[in-house]
Amino acid sequence: MCALCGILGPANHWTDAAARPGVFTRNLDSLQRRRERLQRVACAQRVLSHYRLTLSDWQGTAYLLSTPTGKTEIVDNLTHLWAAAEKLLGRRCDPLDPAVINHLGPARG
């Protein structure tokens, strides 16, 4: 699928909050949904930093995943994140790798 079709395609993936009660979230406030999306980006960014990758929100419809050298992939939703990371890096990325977990530091309660 081309990038334009991906942007114009269907919304409301299960990893995103929806404006309808009972669908993914009960949140009707668009500002709160945006805040939740940015919190998901921040959480993913913590894990991706182990691989020196950055993730950012793009217009509230997709994500930009980038390497330190500037290679970038548009990621439609968070379920495609790890496949895109592996494509950019040319190697396997495992968010449950003990090195990644160690990179994140001690769990906070």
Side-chain angles (χ1 to χ4, degrees), residues 66-87:
S66 302
T67 68
T69 61
K71 289 196 293 186
T72 301
E73 284 279 326
I74 296 175
V75 180
D76 293 330
N77 53 61
L78 294 179
T79 59
H80 298 136
L81 179 62
W82 293 107
E86 289 176 349
K87 179 180 174 185

Side-chain angles (χ1 to χ4, degrees), residues 13 15-16 20 22 24 32 34 40-41 47 50 60 63 65-67 72 77 79 82 88 94 99 104:
H13 189 266
T15 58
D16 287 325
R20 297 185 312 268
F24 314 135
Q32 181 62 28
R34 180 78 169 154
R40 286 189 293 276
V41 168
V47 176
H50 174 76
Y63 302 93
L65 181 65
S66 302
T67 68
T72 301
N77 53 61
T79 59
W82 293 107
L88 283 174
D94 181 1
L104 295 174

Side-chain angles (χ1 to χ4, degrees), residues 2-3 10 22 26 29 41 47-48 52 68 76 83 91 93 98 106 108:
C2 76
R26 292 195 170 113
D29 178 21
V41 168
V47 176
L48 291 166
R52 298 183 58 221
D76 293 330
R91 64 183 173 102
C93 298
R108 293 179 236 163

